[in-house]
Amino acid sequence: MNKIPVPPLKEVLRLDGMSKLFEQPTHTVNALKNVHCTIYEGEMVAIMGTSGSGKSTLLNMISAIDEPSSGTLYLFSENANDMYKEPNASKFRKEQIGFVFQDFHLLKDLNVEDNIAIPLILNDVPSKEIAIRVEQVMKQLGIYEWRKHRPQQLSGGQKQRVAIARAIIHKPPILLADEPTGALDVNTTNDILKLLTDLQKQGQTVILVTHDPYVATFAGRVLFFHDGQIVDSYQNEQSLADLDIILERFKTISRGDA
Ligand SMILES: Nc1ncnc2c1ncn2[C@@H]1O[C@H](COP(=O)(O)OP(=O)(O)O)[C@@H](O)[C@H]1O
Ligand SMILES: [Mg+2]
């Protein structure tokens, strides 16, 4: 039987033995301990872990908000550790990273379209092109009719759509989301997850931090974090069994017997 050739997976991001220590006056916190992982183009990966397990620290390493104590970051298969030094870190963040936060982080004095335009302004895109692209992304995410509204006039789901629009407008190869549905009700959570999976189907690489097993079922792959390490992983089968399996594994690591 002829097999259909599978195109090789393109590596977007690889962490090689990454560790992060926080030196405190009385003790040292090992927030990441020798983490190895590879993220491929067009994947949606969920990072699950208990509170304090190192999830946000990991996102900070990936987005060069903070630098590791040891280990190497590879971007598109190339050693990228020099990206941790300024001005490279700021340049990397504004060009390569989209970040969606749990509590939206919108600027309250700017309306929807101005909030969304920020990354393009930072990247010196001409204002005519900004207007076109902002309109396009607002229509794509179903928030065009809210374009003149300020954040406080929007619902939680609308705010998160604006935050996602802002995170993707400069077409970053890596979209990071730290608990993006943590502040939303169930229906709105479903809307936002549908939006993220639609983006992923269009080729967007997404890394999603969550402590909600239901949210993790939307990813292709789940990495389980505990105490600064990846202790387990699960490839979703896109079946009803996924939720129970993820929940079970999460319970196991939360108890600390993984
Ligand atoms: N800037 C910091 N200084 C000292 N300790 C920190 C700092 N950031 C995180 N930590 C510690 O590192 C560990 C991992 O934190 P974090 O990555 O925020 O966990 P999570 O996002 O999984 O809840 C925790 O013990 C936390 O207290
Ligand atoms: Mg966190």
Side-chain angles (χ1 to χ4, degrees):
M1 206 165 63
N2 285 334
K3 278 201 175 157
I4 301 166
V6 181
L9 295 172
K10 189 171 157 197
E11 193 179 298
V12 171
L13 195 79
R14 178 154 50 97
L15 306 185
D16 190 18
M18 191 162 281
S19 298
K20 178 67 180 177
L21 308 176
F22 290 109
E23 309 277 356
Q24 303 288 63
T26 53
H27 64 294
T28 300
V29 179
N30 284 286
L32 293 179
K33 298 176 187 166
N34 194 29
V35 171
H36 291 268
C37 75
T38 308
I39 310 282
Y40 297 97
E41 189 173 65
E43 268 201 296
M44 179 151 145
V45 176
I47 312 274
M48 278 197 89
T50 44
S51 176
S53 59
K55 305 180 298 292
S56 295
T57 305
L58 182 84
L59 291 192
N60 290 345
M61 301 296 122
I62 292 174
S63 56
I65 287 172
D66 199 357
E67 67 178 316
S69 307
S70 59
T72 309
L73 174 72
Y74 291 85
L75 286 168
F76 308 105
S77 307
E78 288 187 19
N79 186 320
N81 267 11
D82 61 354
M83 169 205 94
Y84 289 111
K85 302 274 169 284
E86 290 295 356
N88 304 2
S90 307
K91 185 171 183 303
F92 169 75
R93 276 196 299 276
K94 75 178 185 189
E95 291 174 358
Q96 313 273 346
I97 298 287
F99 216 123
V100 180
F101 301 90
Q102 173 173 353
D103 42 6
F104 325 122
H105 287 206
L106 299 175
L107 296 180
K108 67 177 176 46
D109 296 323
L110 298 185
N111 66 22
V112 165
E113 55 187 9
D114 291 342
N115 263 289
I116 297 171
I118 293 169
L120 298 184
I121 295 168
L122 291 176
N123 281 300
D124 296 321
V125 174
S127 52
K128 260 193 187 157
E129 190 185 331
I130 291 181
I132 295 167
R133 283 172 61 179
V134 169
E135 182 176 327
Q136 214 172 31
V137 79
M138 286 190 300
K139 286 181 174 164
Q140 181 190 356
L141 298 198
I143 46 178
Y144 183 68
E145 62 181 295
W146 306 102
R147 63 194 176 279
K148 298 295 179 195
H149 286 65
R150 300 276 174 92
Q152 68 185 40
Q153 299 170 294
L154 303 175
S155 69
Q158 287 162 344
K159 279 189 259 199
Q160 196 55 301
R161 278 167 187 268
V162 175
I164 292 172
R166 183 186 54 187
I168 62 168
I169 191 152
H170 55 306
K171 303 190 193 312
I174 303 164
L175 182 61
L176 303 176
D178 199 352
E179 301 274 3
T181 58
L184 306 175
D185 61 52
V186 178
N187 287 334
T188 318
T189 290
N190 279 329
D191 285 351
I192 295 299
L193 289 169
K194 164 98 176 41
L195 207 65
L196 290 173
T197 41
D198 284 349
L199 289 170
Q200 182 258 325
K201 282 176 192 148
Q202 291 159 29
Q204 177 73 57
T205 306
V206 183
I207 302 174
L208 170 85
V209 164
T210 184
H211 62 259
D212 181 343
Y214 173 72
V215 171
T217 61
F218 284 76
R221 195 153 60 100
V222 188
L223 301 178
F224 295 89
F225 254 75
H226 185 65
D227 198 16
Q229 290 175 301
I230 297 175
V231 292
D232 201 357
S233 71
Y234 176 66
Q235 191 88 35
N236 272 314
E237 291 174 356
Q238 312 300 335
S239 75
L240 288 173
D242 288 336
L243 183 60
D244 286 340
I245 295 169
I246 292 170
L247 189 59
E248 201 46 52
R249 292 192 183 200
F250 189 46
K251 275 194 212 156
T252 306
I253 62 154
S254 306
R255 284 197 301 261
D257 38 80

